[in-house]
Amino acid sequence: MSRFASSFSVEFNELNQEIVLSGRMRPRISEEMASVTDVVRRSLLESQNTVYVNLKRLTHLNMTAFRCLEDTLINACKAGPQRNIVIVTSSVIAWSAPLFKTLASGLPNLVVEIYDSAFYPGQTFVEDESFIPILRTQTKMTWRHEREILRRHGLRDGMAVADICCGIGDFATLVKRHFNPTRLLALDHSKKSLEYARQVAEDFGLKSIEYTYGDASQMLMADSQFDFVTCRHSLQIFDRPDVLLRELYRICKPGGRVYITNEKNSHCLGEPHSETIRWTYEQVAKLFSHFDMDVEMGPKSRRLLTDAGFDAIQVETFMVTNLDGDPRDFADVIEAWENVYAGQMAVRRGDPPEFIRRFRQGFKDHVLAALHPKGYAGWPIWAASGRKPY
Amino acid sequence: MTVQHLSPKPMEFQDMMALSLDVSFFTSEFRLCDVIAEYLADIVAQSHEDPARYANFSSQLINEIVEVAFSSARAMSKVDFKLVKNGLCIRFSVGFLYEKDSSMPWATLCEPAAASPRHPVHDLIALAQAIEVDIHAEADADDRVLLVADFHAREAVH
Ligand SMILES: C[S@@+](CC[C@H](N)C(=O)[O-])C[C@H]1O[C@@H](n2cnc3c(N)ncnc32)[C@H](O)[C@@H]1O
């Protein structure tokens, strides 16, 4: 509630021919929109052929602001009938597409598109349904460690908790059962994962988890709502982790903590065959970086949290190994990684069959290390948290 | 804007909340429109399957209604915000006294009146139609107007 009625930004990205409007636009009078309409008007006039007006992160808009944008768009459409204007909205903001579609009917060179893909670089891989079983087993393995780690980072019974980028919601159900929060919100941008999450919660008779479909980089919740905000294995898949951290900071209460986990994939290890395993996981890191994702982020957590304004930062590492619980679980996860990383991502990058064969071999050796009666396989994770200052 | 309103009879509604403010206080700061709209939208959305998104959706219209009251309510009177519910919908209403010399036909927010861009509810109607939420107006003998929006649980935010 403490956010200002109007706190918005407008940027023009010349390279992509994209005008990005974001934030809350609820001005009292149209004059307050002058700086925005000016940028929009000039950017539209400068652009040739097709120009995108990205409204995916425009969360609030009153009709005073809408009418200003409408005038600017209508004038630009008339001034350049050869120019196509594509208004890009997201289905997270349910009013946005229907409202802007009222404009498009009278203007042949203006279209409205609901654009929920390409939200972040690796979305096609991460939101693929084949990821669901991996996330399940991963959480089962990490929870053995995190259950205690979370206490050390300040999670207590009866807090208001948010799990951002919750995936299929397993972590939220575990938090619900073990920490009994007064409020528990779980947000993700994958509808399939959320559907699954709701089903799991229902099966366990867990009623009060608020699952919400949303964009972590521009959330719809008000400021300072939660005592403990978690974001696990997800900062590392964003090309702009700072933007996400800013939102995690915003929804956290002063004195509350934001807890993040990230990997350093090149440090996955195993014996025997340590060399082939090491080579493969170094390639994993390079592969992700090709798609603008940083799965080497773990050790950078301290810097990221500090730069985002947190204090009292805690960082610890833990290693998920084949000795925790059933080694078959670990082997299943590695096989799933192989399927997605070698079977999909490397293929998409255009890697030659010889590379893919060698790449796969490291995963197979890692599985072998996990299942070998004398073998050892490990997956290191960095758990870090920071306090939002009072 | 529906003129013939098909919603259930008012007596079937149960009170959820009511807020009555002096117009002079309410209009002292425009930012209050946003604060009130967000507060009410959170209540409207609280039992929705996806409260955060539904609150954002409903606050879009509630804010516009609150802004109409902000710019049209007569000084030295009260503005009343109310939420009631029945099994089908949550009804939001704002009641206020409008300026006596207003030539605009508030009582019958019918299509021709709405078509005039000068009418204070013109934009509100355009928004309600776009996002398919039923709104209507009622007026009483004291020149008080009641702007009413019905939010149905089924409303599409999927
Ligand atoms: C690697 S998974 C981690 C999921 C979960 N935290 C876990 O540990 O199992 C990353 C998750 O981030 C979600 N995600 C990616 N971009 C998002 C965005 N902009 N807003 C919300 N969720 C997003 C994906 O849908 C996916 O579920």
Side-chain angles (χ1 to χ4, degrees), chain A residues 14-25:
Chain A
E14 232 170 297
L15 205 65
N16 303 339
Q17 293 280 291
E18 186 181 40
I19 303 165
V20 182
L21 297 172
S22 56
R24 305 166 65 92
M25 288 186 186

Side-chain angles (χ1 to χ4, degrees), chain B residues 134-145:
Chain B
D134 284 346
I135 61 171
H136 72 276
E138 294 164 11
D140 62 24
D142 299 329
D143 287 346
R144 255 180 98 79
V145 68

